[in-house]
Amino acid sequence: MDTRVPAVKMRNITKTFGNVVANDKVWLDIYRGEILALLGENGSGKTTLMNMLSGIYFPDEGEISIDGKEVVIRSPKDAFKLGIGMIHQHFKLVDVLTAAENIVLGLKDEGRLDMRKVNEKVKEICDAYGFEVDPSQKIYDMSVSQKQTVEIIKVLYRGADILILDEPTAVLTPQETDKLFAVLRNMRDAGKAIVIITHKMHEVEALSDRVAVLRHGQFIGDMPTKDTNAQEMTNMMVGHPVVLNIDRPEPVNPKSRIEVKNLTVKNIDGIVKLDDVSFTANSGEILGIAGISGCGQKELLEAIAGLQPTESGSICYINDDGEREELVGKDPMDIAKLGVSLSFVPEDRLGMGLVGNMDLADNMMLRSFRRGHSFFTDRKSPKRLAQDVVDKLEVSTPGISTPVRRLSGGNVQKVLIGREIASAPTVLLTAYAVRGLDINSSYTIYDLINKQKQAGVAVIYVGEDLDVLLELADRILILCGGKVSGIIPGRGAKKEQVGMMMTRLGGKEENE
């Protein structure tokens, strides 16, 4: 029995949206001097629960107590007064302002903001916890991890001592993640209460002191992290045993399928995004692309698919008979007809690739039109395809005639990926296929990608989770600032080595 007084005590918290119960009588305790990992699959209610603590939503029923005293939190302002600050996945910073200006933005009591004093206080916070930030740097000049640092300092500056971080490492390199963890441990040791919402089990094991698990909006249980393991936590989240290993079958008879030579791509503003990139992607093999966000992965996949104009260089498609076809300058439709399929899961899943008002079957048909099939006669196959995707990927939907916009983000994503895979490609370009998906759905998708590889498809896989990339890919191409900093075998690759190559040039090329 824990005799400590919880910093936060949530009792019988219930929240519904329409007829969906997001949280169902949830009990949760959060303690100072402790890092709590909040776990659960997509749609299990983790973010909703924390949004009620930080004043974004208001519970339908239930009580929240802070330090033993019952409180009412109706807005983020109320939450701040109680010392609660939440750092969201999507940062809320003003690009043209400096770090310090963002930190004090919206604060009334600074009088005529004395920026010298603000900078001093920011420096104090940085020194206390080990942050590195230049208060006078503009946000648009910052990396993702620097922006995140500003968000954390912003809530600390406002006096928060209960911090909630939603998927804080989604876009960080291993080195940046280590830095963030060191800072979070310092904050915990200084007596702050910290909650992290994450899908990454190895991070839960490395960082948290205690875990709490939600399933379908209900609280399943909590325990000290040292008394559990990834397998047990996953089983609790999903409700049945899940196999947690990614197969990596040996490539069978790999042949060159895409050959990229000296590829250079600039964006609309004339900034070089890919600089003299060369590599080969083979059939029956997964080529993983590693790199920090924005280092050219997106441009690379789009250039191969014909969606991105190139400055110079060549992208050659080689068919089974060894005949070569230059893709640069070709129409994206013609490239798609060769079997080159691009499945890019953007931040805005509905903005690209699916039509929200159309149902699942019609969204499947969008794909088959492009392949030149007669679409008057064959209404059956998209329906079969939709049903197949729904069954295989366990898409939770009332039926295949449900409009896609009614599905949750994770389910929309399964439809996106399923549709591209079902189009029987010869080259599958996939980026962020499991972005934001829970562990169970993610493993289903890794399995599907492996099946494509075994069917002889050349898979080029861009992913955010380096641990997965190291388990899934046969070879890993590392991009740094638009240049290739190395191509290494996936088997036996070390995370630290890849992390170093992602942040500075000078890796070793493999000898082929």
Side-chain angles (χ1 to χ4, degrees):
M1 205 33 219
D2 212 322
T3 53
R4 299 173 294 170
V5 174
V8 177
K9 197 157 120 185
M10 302 179 91
R11 292 292 179 264
N12 290 321
I13 299 291
T14 299
K15 180 73 184 167
T16 52
F17 297 99
N19 55 6
V20 176
V21 181
N23 289 134
D24 183 7
K25 300 189 172 51
V26 173
W27 285 49
L28 185 68
D29 290 336
I30 302 167
Y31 295 96
R32 286 203 168 74
E34 182 176 87
I35 296 173
L36 173 72
L38 188 57
L39 301 179
E41 292 192 278
N42 290 93
S44 62
K46 311 177 295 284
T47 304
T48 303
L49 187 65
M50 290 300 108
N51 278 339
M52 285 187 278
L53 189 53
S54 62
I56 291 169
Y57 296 148
F58 191 71
D60 300 341
E61 54 186 78
E63 297 81 47
I64 299 176
S65 300
I66 306 290
D67 295 323
K69 195 168 145 241
E70 198 172 317
V71 296
V72 175
I73 304 173
R74 290 192 179 276
S75 67
K77 211 165 150 192
D78 288 351
F80 264 128
K81 279 185 190 142
L82 295 163
I84 300 162
M86 183 159 172
I87 293 94
H88 296 271
Q89 269 174 293
H90 301 291
F91 307 140
K92 298 168 172 58
L93 297 169
V94 181
D95 257 9
V96 294
L97 298 182
T98 64
E101 287 164 344
N102 267 283
I103 287 164
V104 294
L105 196 64
L107 287 177
K108 300 258 192 306
D109 54 350
E110 297 290 330
R112 273 208 180 85
L113 286 178
D114 179 344
M115 288 317 283
R116 197 171 51 85
K117 273 198 181 133
V118 171
N119 284 355
E120 274 170 23
K121 188 170 169 189
V122 168
K123 195 174 174 325
E124 267 172 43
I125 293 173
C126 290
D127 293 346
Y129 303 115
F131 288 108
E132 289 168 29
V133 81
D134 170 4
S136 59
Q137 191 178 357
K138 298 271 199 214
I139 299 296
Y140 59 70
D141 278 337
M142 291 189 171
S143 69
V144 179
S145 86
Q146 287 172 309
K147 289 178 190 172
Q148 185 185 54
T149 303
V150 173
E151 285 280 20
I152 297 173
I153 294 171
K154 193 163 99 183
V155 302
L156 291 172
Y157 190 98
R158 286 159 164 71
D161 62 356
I162 297 163
L163 283 94
I164 305 156
L165 295 96
D166 192 358
E167 298 281 352
T169 64
V171 286
L172 302 185
T173 65
Q175 281 78 2
E176 290 167 339
T177 298
D178 289 344
K179 262 192 199 162
L180 172 69
F181 284 7
V183 167
L184 292 176
R185 288 186 188 105
N186 290 341
M187 283 162 48
R188 170 196 66 195
D189 297 345
K192 297 201 180 297
I194 298 169
V195 182
I196 61 161
I197 298 174
T198 179
H199 285 305
K200 299 181 183 176
M201 285 302 172
H202 52 277
E203 293 185 354
V204 173
E205 293 180 308
L207 180 69
S208 68
D209 301 296
R210 198 162 52 93
V211 291
V213 178
L214 295 181
R215 183 165 77 234
H216 304 316
Q218 294 180 325
F219 176 70
I220 300 300
D222 67 334
M223 67 206 79
T225 310
K226 63 179 181 356
D227 296 347
T228 183
N229 58 42
Q231 184 67 58
E232 194 180 350
M233 291 187 268
T234 307
N235 295 351
M236 277 176 78
M237 278 160 49
V238 180
H240 56 79
V242 177
V243 179
L244 284 187
N245 54 356
I246 299 175
D247 286 335
R248 178 162 35 196
E250 282 289 342
V252 176
N253 191 14
K255 290 196 183 82
S256 301
R257 178 71 76 201
I258 295 274
E259 213 171 75
V260 174
K261 280 201 173 134
N262 312 111
L263 182 68
T264 298
V265 170
K266 290 182 178 169
N267 68 5
I268 316 166
D269 306 323
I271 294 163
V272 175
K273 296 302 280 184
L274 291 172
D275 186 358
D276 197 27
V277 166
S278 300
F279 66 91
T280 302
N282 300 322
S283 62
E285 181 183 83
I286 296 175
L287 175 69
I289 311 273
I292 42 186
S293 189
C295 71
Q297 309 98 313
K298 179 173 186 269
E299 288 76 12
L300 178 60
L301 298 195
E302 288 182 347
I304 297 171
L307 298 168
Q308 174 77 253
T310 59
E311 285 290 306
S312 59
S314 127
I315 302 170
C316 202
Y317 176 85
I318 304 159
N319 72 11
D320 287 336
D321 302 327
E323 290 162 3
R324 305 166 73 84
E325 237 175 294
E326 179 55 58
L327 299 187
V328 170
K330 255 195 176 19
D331 174 79
M333 289 288 205
D334 294 333
I335 293 176
K337 276 185 195 141
L338 291 170
V340 176
S341 164
L342 173 65
S343 157
F344 201 100
V345 175
E347 271 97 347
D348 167 18
R349 300 186 185 92
L350 279 179
M352 178 172 159
L354 294 171
V355 180
N357 289 335
M358 282 167 62
D359 70 18
L360 289 178
D362 287 341
N363 267 291
M364 293 294 163
M365 280 181 80
L366 284 177
R367 190 74 185 87
S368 46
F369 287 169
R370 300 217 306 257
R371 300 186 66 82
H373 298 312
S374 150
F375 54 86
F376 316 115
T377 52
D378 193 10
R379 291 255 348 166
K380 279 202 188 82
S381 75
K383 277 211 161 65
R384 275 203 303 271
L385 185 52
Q387 197 54 57
D388 202 33
V389 169
V390 165
D391 297 343
K392 270 209 181 105
L393 290 184
E394 299 174 356
V395 174
S396 57
T397 168
I400 60 169
S401 54
T402 305
V404 165
R405 69 184 150 75
R406 291 234 189 108
L407 302 181
S408 77
N411 285 312
V412 166
Q413 197 159 328
K414 292 179 188 176
V415 173
L416 251 178
I417 305 286
R419 187 182 72 179
E420 296 306 321
I421 285 178
S423 72
T426 54
V427 178
L428 177 65
L429 310 169
T430 174
Y432 313 120
V434 298
R435 173 182 265 162
L437 283 187
D438 55 69
I439 201 153
N440 209 19
S441 312
S442 301
Y443 277 81
T444 310
I445 284 177
Y446 303 144
D447 191 42
L448 276 172
I449 289 172
N450 265 324
K451 285 203 172 83
Q452 293 297 298
K453 163 183 154 175
Q454 287 172 297
V457 175
V459 181
I460 301 181
Y461 178 92
V462 174
E464 286 160 326
D465 190 332
L466 209 47
D467 291 84
V468 168
L469 206 59
L470 293 176
E471 268 189 79
L472 187 67
D474 297 295
R475 288 183 304 140
I476 298 172
L477 168 91
I478 298 135
L479 283 175
C480 175
K483 286 184 190 291
V484 174
S485 81
I487 301 177
I488 60 172
R491 290 166 180 77
K494 292 279 175 286
K495 190 170 165 181
E496 291 64 33
Q497 171 200 12
V498 177
M500 291 298 287
M501 291 166 78
M502 278 162 67
T503 46
R504 63 146 203 256
L505 289 167
K508 291 190 176 59
E509 294 286 328
E510 68 179 352
N511 304 312
E512 287 193 60

